[in-house]
C-alpha cells in the first residue's frame, strides 16, 4: 500500500523536494487543494446563488448584528459564533446577495485551510479527493453560503484532527499545535456541545493513552475549546440562570435529549428536508440515499486497510471523531436535519478518499481500468443525485422565503411598519423580513407574556399571524382580520401611543 495513500510522514516530507518540473510537492499539493476549494466556491455561487433569502435560523443569527431588524430571541442552544462571523457584512449592509457571496468565498478558503492542515499525513491527491467528496454533497453546497454554524463546526473538526495528527507525529511542528487550538476554538465558538462531541476521541487519547500524552497538545485542545466556549458560558450565567440551566433549557428546546434513535429520521431528511420535525412521511427514493448507506461501509473498509497497512492512527482517529460527532444526532434527538451530520461527513471524507484511491490504483501506481471505470460511473450517479436534491432544496427554500417577503410587504401595506411587533405562526422569520421584533408566549422561542404583547400593541404596530383553522389567543380575537396567501393576519387597533394608522 506504500504506492499511494499509505506513505509515511517521512516519505511525504521527502516528496517535498523540488521535482523535475521545478515545482515542489508542496506547490503541487496546494494547487490541487486550491482547485478543489475554488471549485467549491464557484459551485455555491452557481448552484445555490446569491439571491436565496435568509432562512428561519439564519434570521435569528443575522439579526443579532444587523442593520435590518431588531435582534430576535436567542434561545439557549444557540451560540453567537456565526453572528460574529457574518458581522463584517451584516453590521453595515442588509444585502443578502453580498452576505451569500462573502460566505461562499469564506467557506471555500476555510475548506482549503482545513485540507492543508492534513499535509504530511496523507498525500495531496487523497486530500483533494476527500475535499471534493465532502464539497460535492448537496448539504455542504447548500449550507456553505448560509449563516449557519454546522459547516464551520465541520471545518474546525476536519482541520483540528489533521493538526492533531501532525503535531503528534512531529513534536516540533508548532504550527500544528496552534492550528489545533484555533480549530477547537472555532468549533466551540460555533456550537460548544458539538465541539465537545467531535473532540472527545482526541481528549480520550491525550488523557488515557500513555503514548499519546502530549502536554502541549492537551493544553492546545482544552485551551481552544475553553476560549471558543467562553462567551457562551459567560452568557449562560448572565442570562440563562447558569451553565447547567442553559444546558437543561437547550435539551428541553430540542425535545429532551436522551436515548432516541433518529437514524430513519436522518434518512428521511436526505431528500432535501432542511428540518424534519416531526419527521414523518415516506422515505426518499433509494437512488438519493444510497450514498448514505455506502459511506459507513467505505469507512469500515478504510479502517481495515489502515490496520493491515500498520498505520491505523491517521485513519481510525478521524473515523472515531466522526462517530462521536454523529452519535447525538443519530441516537439522542427526536428529529433530524441533514446539516447536523456535516462534521461527520467532513471527518469521513479523507479516509474514504484514501481507500477509494487505493482500490483504483495498482501497487506500482498505475490505474486499474475496470475498477476505475466502475467507480467513475458510481460517482457520476452520486453527483447526479446530489445535484437533483440540491436543486429541489434550493427551489423549495427560495419559494418559502419569497412567501415570507410577500407577507412582510403585506404587513407594511396594512400599516405594520417598523418599529413593530409580530407574534404567532412563523412570526420570527417574517418579523425579520418586515423589520419588526417578534414575540412568543410559548414554545422554544418564548420571550414574553400575553400581557406584555397587549402592552406593546398600545405603543406600536402589532400583528398576530395565524392559520385559517387555528384558534387565535384571547388577546387577538377581536383584532381586525385580513387574509393573505393562507395566513390570517390580525392587526391590533391603534392605541393611544401607536398602532397602525
Amino acid at each position: 500500500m506504500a504506492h499511494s495513500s499509505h506513505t509515511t510522514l517521512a516519505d511525504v516530507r521527502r516528496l517535498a523536494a523540488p521535482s523535475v518540473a521545478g515545482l515542489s510537492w508542496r506547490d503541487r499539493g496546494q494547487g490541487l487543494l486550491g482547485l478543489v476549494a475554488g471549485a467549491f466556491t464557484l459551485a455555491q455561487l452557481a448552484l445555490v446563488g446569491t439571491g436565496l433569502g435568509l432562512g428561519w435560523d439564519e434570521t435569528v443569527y443575522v439579526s443579532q448584528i444587523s442593520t435590518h431588524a431588531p435582534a430576535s430571541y436567542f434561545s439557549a442552544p444557540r451560540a453567537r459564533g456565526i453572528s460574529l462571523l457574518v458581522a463584517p457584512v451584516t453590521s453595515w449592509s442588509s444585502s443578502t446577495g453580498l452576505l451569500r457571496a462573502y460566505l461562499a468565498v469564506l467557506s471555500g478558503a476555510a475548506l482549503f485551510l482545513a485540507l492543508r492542515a492534513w499535509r504530511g499525513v496523507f498525500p495531496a491527491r487523497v486530500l483533494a479527493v476527500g475535499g471534493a467528496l465532502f464539497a460535492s454533497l448537496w448539504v455542504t453546497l447548500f449550507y456553505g453560503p448560509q449563516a449557519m454554524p454546522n459547516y464551520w463546526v465541520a471545518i474546525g473538526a476536519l482541520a483540528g484532527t489533521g493538526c492533531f495528527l501532525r503535531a503528534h507525529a512531529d513534536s516540533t511542528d508548532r504550527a500544528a499545535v496552534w492550528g489545533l487550538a484555533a480549530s477547537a476554538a472555532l468549533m466551540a465558538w460555533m456550537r460548544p456541545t458539538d465541539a465537545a462531541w467531535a473532540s472527545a476521541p482526541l481528549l480520550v487519547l491525550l488523557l488515557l493513552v500513555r503514548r499519546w500524552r502530549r502536554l502541549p497538545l492537551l493544553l492546545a485542545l482544552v485551551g481552544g475549546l475553553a476560549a471558543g466556549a467562553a462567551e457562551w458560558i459567560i452568557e449562560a450565567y448572565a442570562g440563562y440562570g447558569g451553565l447547567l440551566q442553559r444546558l437543561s433549557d437547550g435539551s428541553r428546546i430540542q425535545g429532551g435529549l436522551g436515548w432516541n434513535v433518529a437514524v430513519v429520521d436522518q434518512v428521511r431528511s436526505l431528500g432535501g428536508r432542511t428540518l424534519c420535525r416531526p419527521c414523518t412521511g415516506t422515505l426518499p427514493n433509494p437512488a438519493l440515499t444510497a450514498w448514505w448507506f455506502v459511506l459507513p461501509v467505505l469507512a469500515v473498509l478504510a479502517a481495515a486497510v489502515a490496520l493491515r497497512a500498520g498505520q491505523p492512527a491517521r485513519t481510525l482517529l478521524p473515523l472515531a471523531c466522526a462517530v462521536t460527532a454523529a452519535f447525538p444526532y443519530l441516537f439522542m434527538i427526536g428529529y433530524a436535519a441533514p446539516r447536523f451530520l456535516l462534521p461527520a461527513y467532513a471527518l469521513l471524507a479523507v479516509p474514504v478518499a484514501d481507500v477509494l484511491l487505493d482500490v483504483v490504483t495498482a501497487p506500482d501506481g498505475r490505474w486499474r481500468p475496470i475498477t476505475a471505470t466502475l467507480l467513475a460511473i458510481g460517482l457520476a450517479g452520486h453527483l447526479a443525485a446530489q445535484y437533483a436534491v440540491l436543486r429541489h432544496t434550493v427551489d423549495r427554500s427560495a419559494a418559502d422565503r419569497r412567501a415570507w417577503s410577500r407577507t412582510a410587504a403585506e404587513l407594511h401595506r396594512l400599516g405594520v411598519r417598523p418599529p413593530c411587533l409580530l407574534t404567532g405562526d412563523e412570526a420570527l422569520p417574517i418579523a425579520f423580513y418586515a423589520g419588526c421584533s417578534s414575540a412568543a408566549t410559548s414554545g422554544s422561542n418564548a420571550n414574553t407574556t400575553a400581557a406584555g404583547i397587549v402592552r406593546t400593541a398600545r405603543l406600536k404596530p402589532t400583528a398576530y399571524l395565524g392559520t385559517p383553522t387555528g384558534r387565535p389567543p384571547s388577546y387577538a380575537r377581536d383584532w381586525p382580520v385580513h387574509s393573505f396567501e393562507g395566513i390570517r393576519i390580525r392587526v391590533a387597533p391603534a392605541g393611544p401611543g401607536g398602532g397602525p394608522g
Side-chain angles (χ1 to χ4, degrees):
M1 302 298 175
H3 64 275
S4 62
S5 59
H6 298 288
T7 311
T8 65
L9 184 62
D11 291 335
V12 171
R13 283 178 175 166
R14 282 195 293 272
L15 289 174
S19 67
V20 174
L23 291 176
S24 69
W25 179 92
R26 177 178 296 177
D27 292 333
R28 296 197 306 276
Q30 292 192 154
L32 281 174
L33 302 187
L35 183 63
V36 170
F40 175 51
T41 293
L42 293 176
Q44 293 176 66
L45 296 173
L47 301 178
V48 180
T50 59
L52 182 65
L54 296 181
W56 185 305
D57 291 288
E58 285 188 291
T59 63
V60 176
Y61 291 118
V62 169
S63 70
Q64 305 306 307
I65 305 177
S66 174
T67 60
H68 182 70
S72 300
Y73 176 69
F74 207 74
S75 61
R78 302 186 188 277
R80 298 187 183 274
I82 195 67
S83 299
L84 296 174
L85 186 73
V86 300
V89 172
T90 61
S91 61
W92 61 273
S93 173
S94 60
S95 170
T96 303
L98 180 61
L99 178 62
R100 295 283 183 232
Y102 163 75
L103 286 172
V105 172
L106 198 63
S107 61
L111 179 62
F112 171 79
L113 293 175
L115 293 171
R116 191 175 182 274
W118 286 76
R119 64 187 184 277
V121 180
F122 282 99
R125 65 173 182 167
V126 172
L127 301 179
V129 171
L133 290 174
F134 175 61
S136 61
L137 293 176
W138 76 262
V139 63
T140 311
L141 285 164
F142 185 71
Y143 284 104
Q146 295 208 42
M148 296 289 284
N150 310 86
Y151 173 82
W152 298 97
V153 175
I155 287 296
L158 179 63
T161 306
C163 287
F164 182 92
L165 287 166
R166 275 177 44 211
H168 181 265
D170 182 1
S171 59
T172 65
D173 192 344
R174 299 184 64 182
V177 176
W178 284 106
L180 174 61
S183 300
L186 175 64
M187 286 192 291
W189 193 40
M190 294 293 166
R191 288 190 69 88
T193 51
D194 285 10
W197 282 102
S199 58
L202 308 184
L203 286 169
V204 168
L205 280 178
L206 291 173
L207 293 173
L208 301 182
V209 181
R210 178 172 297 180
R211 69 186 184 89
W212 281 86
R213 290 177 189 169
R214 300 285 192 278
L215 183 59
L217 288 182
L218 181 61
L219 291 176
L221 180 58
V222 174
L225 292 173
E231 188 278 333
W232 195 84
I233 295 171
I234 292 170
E235 189 179 49
Y237 288 98
Y240 294 88
L243 180 58
L244 294 180
Q245 185 61 50
R246 186 169 195 177
L247 291 170
S248 176
D249 289 347
S251 174
R252 174 181 53 79
I253 288 170
Q254 295 175 89
L257 299 181
W259 184 251
N260 197 330
V261 179
V263 176
V264 177
D265 292 346
Q266 283 291 344
V267 176
R268 284 195 179 97
S269 74
L270 292 174
R273 299 172 66 176
T274 55
L275 181 63
C276 198
R277 185 180 189 182
C279 205
T280 56
T282 60
L283 294 172
N285 188 311
L288 303 179
T289 60
W291 69 274
W292 202 76
F293 295 97
V294 171
L295 191 58
V297 175
L298 292 174
V300 171
L301 181 60
V305 170
L307 288 170
R308 188 177 65 183
Q311 294 183 340
R314 68 179 188 173
T315 296
L316 296 185
L317 190 57
L319 293 181
C321 291
V323 169
T324 57
F327 182 83
Y329 293 113
L330 292 175
F331 300 106
M332 293 183 65
I333 195 168
Y335 62 98
R339 66 181 184 271
F340 292 163
L341 297 183
L342 273 171
Y345 299 150
L347 289 161
L348 290 171
V350 173
V352 166
D354 183 36
V355 75
L356 289 178
L357 285 172
D358 194 76
V359 166
V360 299
T361 52
D364 60 1
R366 292 181 299 173
W367 291 99
R368 293 187 172 109
I370 295 177
T371 54
T373 301
L374 292 174
L375 180 60
I377 293 171
L379 288 175
H382 167 68
L383 291 176
Q386 296 302 307
Y387 173 77
V389 178
L390 178 64
R391 189 73 266 149
H392 167 71
T393 306
V394 170
D395 290 345
R396 188 174 64 180
S397 298
D400 290 342
R401 297 167 194 192
R402 285 195 296 267
W404 291 340
S405 182
R406 290 194 301 270
T407 303
E410 178 66 9
L411 285 164
H412 289 169
R413 190 188 70 80
L414 294 172
V416 184
R417 303 184 186 93
C420 45
L421 177 71
L422 298 185
T423 184
D425 297 335
E426 297 191 326
L428 193 151
I430 294 173
F432 179 86
Y433 278 77
C436 301
S437 300
S438 61
T441 59
S442 61
S444 59
N445 293 302
N447 61 346
T448 189
T449 63
I453 293 174
V454 172
R455 285 194 300 271
T456 301
R458 298 192 187 106
L459 301 173
K460 60 185 179 182
T462 300
Y464 172 83
L465 307 179
T467 62
T469 58
R471 184 177 176 82
S474 57
Y475 61 80
R477 286 174 193 163
D478 296 330
W479 293 358
V481 182
H482 308 268
S483 294
F484 180 77
E485 296 189 357
I487 301 174
R488 291 292 178 87
I489 303 174
R490 295 175 180 268
V491 181

